[in-house]
Amino acid sequence: MKKIFLSLCIALVSVCSYAQQGTTAAGVYGAFGSENSNFGLGAKVQYGILDALRAEASFDYFFKKDYLTNMNASLNVHYLIPISEKFRVYPLAGVSYIYWKADYEGAVDDALGGYGDLIPDEMKDELYGDVDDSESKIGFNLGAGVEYDLTDKLSIFAEGRYQFVSDFDQAVIGVGLTYKF
């Protein structure tokens, strides 16, 4: 009888910690991108497809540094592995759309010793090349994360992914909160 009771308790805990299908969550996080050694903010929405499989759409905005701005939009799939009732780890894989914008106007002004305002923009372009440039590409993500349930609605997480994008490879690390609906 004790073995049956213990087996039922273990099964109940497993079902409760693994019941992810149909669950929707939204979250915010702080992010770090290795390519520009820059910090940013991110937002994500998650949906439990199956008990152990979750889809996620996320967006990262990295603040301007060294005349560069970077934004990422990703679609990832997580495979949830419960470690305990409140703690899960997950590998992830997906695709990313990466956008980089370079605005060298400040660099041109710095090179001109603060007299950049005296030179017309057309002449700056002629002397120093295009002062605004942007590029976007699509790539793949691979990574892993951990999450811990603070309550039945609120979780904290830490995640790392590597974005394989031609000429724009970078590691992205994020730490934040998600809220389950």
Side-chain angles (χ1 to χ4, degrees):
M1 187 67 171
K2 288 180 184 179
K3 289 181 182 181
I4 293 172
F5 179 74
L6 181 60
S7 297
L8 287 173
C9 287
I10 290 172
L12 182 60
V13 166
S14 296
V15 167
C16 291
S17 65
Y18 213 52
Q20 297 293 319
Q21 186 172 355
T23 302
T24 302
V28 294
Y29 54 95
F32 176 80
S34 66
E35 180 65 23
N36 198 24
S37 298
N38 203 6
F39 291 95
L41 295 175
K44 62 169 62 184
V45 176
Q46 301 170 329
Y47 180 76
I49 300 170
L50 301 171
D51 288 343
L53 202 60
R54 175 172 65 197
E56 175 186 84
S58 65
F59 179 79
D60 304 326
Y61 175 81
F62 294 95
F63 302 110
K64 189 175 187 177
K65 180 181 178 191
D66 297 332
Y67 314 106
L68 293 173
T69 303
N70 171 232
M71 291 177 271
N72 305 324
S74 296
L75 296 173
N76 295 312
V77 175
H78 300 175
Y79 182 75
L80 303 171
I81 303 167
I83 302 300
S84 71
E85 185 178 339
K86 294 184 172 200
F87 183 67
R88 288 170 294 287
V89 298
Y90 55 90
L92 68 86
V95 295
S96 279
Y97 171 78
I98 311 295
Y99 175 81
W100 284 89
K101 179 171 174 38
D103 181 3
Y104 297 109
E105 191 161 341
V108 171
D109 290 340
D110 290 346
L112 295 172
Y115 295 102
D117 292 339
L118 302 175
I119 298 175
D121 287 339
E122 300 82 32
M123 187 179 272
K124 285 182 195 177
D125 288 347
E126 201 172 297
L127 292 172
Y128 296 99
D130 193 8
V131 294
D132 287 322
D133 195 17
S134 64
E135 190 166 353
S136 59
K137 293 189 177 186
I138 294 177
F140 298 97
N141 299 325
L142 284 178
V146 296
E147 70 181 8
Y148 181 79
D149 295 336
L150 298 172
T151 67
D152 58 340
K153 297 282 187 185
L154 194 63
S155 299
I156 58 173
F157 71 91
E159 180 178 288
R161 69 181 181 271
Y162 194 81
Q163 297 175 317
F164 297 92
V165 183
S166 177
D167 300 325
F168 295 120
D169 288 1
Q170 77 170 341
V172 176
I173 299 169
V175 177
L177 292 168
T178 55
Y179 179 80
K180 296 175 189 153
F181 299 100

